[in-house]
Amino acid sequence: MKEDTTRTTKSFISTTFGISLALLAGSCSESDPVEASPERESTEVMAWFEDVPPGSVIIRDMETDESGTRAWEFGIGSPCNFEFTITGSNGNKQVGSTIAGNTSNETSASIPFNRLREFRFTTEEVEGSQVLGDLAALVGSGAAAKLEQAHPELEDSTVLRFNMNWNNYASYEGVVPSSLRKPSDEVGVLMTGGRVGPDTVQMGKTIYLASHITFSKGGSGSIKEMDGEIYVSELNEEGVLVDVPLAELKTPSWVLSVKFEAIE
């Protein structure tokens, strides 16, 4: 009988303890509701080219170990056409263009157009005789003979050959205008410059990326655009800096520029 009383007492204590825990848990649930977990903060940081306003272009200079190569990155805010121009001191130009962005899937205004594009420009000095030989191999000796007849100094001179690569899919090659130099020519004062202007520009404006200006006496090497024409600062006979149109400069010189035109 004593054993039954002991068992009943233990059962009562166990039941009472279990009910107390249940009531305590219920009490905590009512008085201390579980707070909703805060929204997870985004750790993603937008890349610099993903925040370019529509109609704008952001430029960044790139470092490269390749000899004779200059490179730039462009963050583009809207679909556009891309055009590069090499303007020589004799007024001649080399022009190339391509589409900077595919518009087929970005027609909706709700879909932002933010693209990263890369532009590489490489120059290499080559002998004029090599240019004539390459031309003869490509299109025949007749074309090379005509070129040599028009420019008899070419064979004994050097020129700059260039290669332009846009985003690894558009490539152009050619000879840089006004880069012809005879070995007997005086080098003069050479000014090479990098990009001119702000890091952010509106589409439709010319962006000057590089220059190679030779002065007989001297100059500042600065580039200006007036009335759509390129000017450089050169020392005149009195030793005063004056703005001279690049096309009128008598010494071998050239300027590389690009332009982005928005696609309507």
Side-chain angles (χ1 to χ4, degrees):
M1 189 70 178
K2 184 177 180 181
E3 183 180 349
D4 292 342
T5 303
T6 303
R7 185 183 299 114
T8 303
T9 303
K10 289 181 178 180
S11 177
F12 174 79
I13 294 173
S14 177
T15 303
T16 303
F17 182 68
I19 294 174
S20 298
L21 286 177
L23 291 174
L24 180 61
S27 174
C28 288
S29 177
E30 290 181 8
S31 60
D32 297 313
V34 178
E35 295 182 1
S37 60
E39 294 183 5
R40 186 177 60 183
E41 294 183 3
S42 175
T43 58
E44 295 183 1
V45 178
M46 290 183 67
W48 65 272
F49 60 85
E50 294 179 325
D51 196 26
V52 181
S56 299
V57 176
I58 293 181
I59 315 120
R60 283 193 172 189
D61 300 307
M62 295 177 61
E63 294 184 1
T64 173
D65 295 330
E66 300 174 35
S67 176
T69 298
R70 299 185 185 186
W72 303 267
E73 287 180 320
F74 296 92
I76 304 172
S78 303
C80 56
N81 290 316
F82 169 81
E83 178 183 271
F84 80 91
T85 303
I86 312 173
T87 306
S89 54
N90 59 4
N92 289 338
K93 294 182 179 181
Q94 279 277 1
V95 181
S97 63
T98 185
I99 294 178
N102 178 16
T103 62
S104 60
N105 296 322
E106 283 102 8
T107 56
S108 174
S110 63
I111 304 177
F113 181 92
N114 299 107
R115 297 291 183 270
L116 178 65
R117 295 290 185 263
E118 181 180 305
F119 178 56
R120 305 179 75 85
F121 182 78
T122 303
T123 57
E124 176 190 13
E125 188 175 55
V126 296
E127 300 291 335
S129 56
Q130 180 180 341
V131 174
L132 292 171
D134 292 345
L135 183 62
L138 288 172
V139 296
S141 58
K146 288 182 179 179
L147 179 62
E148 185 176 10
Q149 184 178 2
H151 301 280
E153 73 281 8
L154 176 59
E155 186 172 7
D156 297 324
S157 303
T158 61
V159 294
L160 282 180
R161 177 181 289 163
F162 79 88
N163 176 275
M164 188 285 295
N165 186 277
W166 170 252
N167 210 44
N168 296 319
Y169 71 80
S171 182
Y172 298 85
E173 292 185 348
V175 173
V176 176
S178 304
S179 64
L180 181 69
R181 187 173 66 85
K182 300 177 185 177
S184 58
D185 288 346
E186 294 183 3
V187 175
V189 181
L190 176 64
M191 299 280 185
T192 58
R195 183 163 56 84
V196 178
D199 294 331
T200 303
V201 298
Q202 292 297 308
M203 289 183 179
K205 291 189 175 182
T206 302
I207 305 168
Y208 296 101
L209 295 179
S211 62
H212 184 99
I213 312 296
T214 307
F215 299 102
S216 55
K217 292 187 173 67
S220 71
S222 62
I223 300 172
K224 301 177 182 177
E225 181 179 331
M226 294 186 287
D227 299 325
E229 191 171 0
I230 300 174
Y231 282 73
V232 295
S233 297
E234 183 183 28
L235 288 174
N236 62 12
E237 296 295 333
E238 290 75 29
V240 179
L241 280 174
V242 294
D243 292 329
V244 179
L246 178 65
E248 296 179 9
L249 208 62
K250 305 300 182 183
T251 50
S253 305
W254 53 269
V255 173
L256 170 68
S257 62
V258 296
K259 182 184 291 188
F260 295 83
E261 296 284 358
I263 299 175
E264 300 297 336

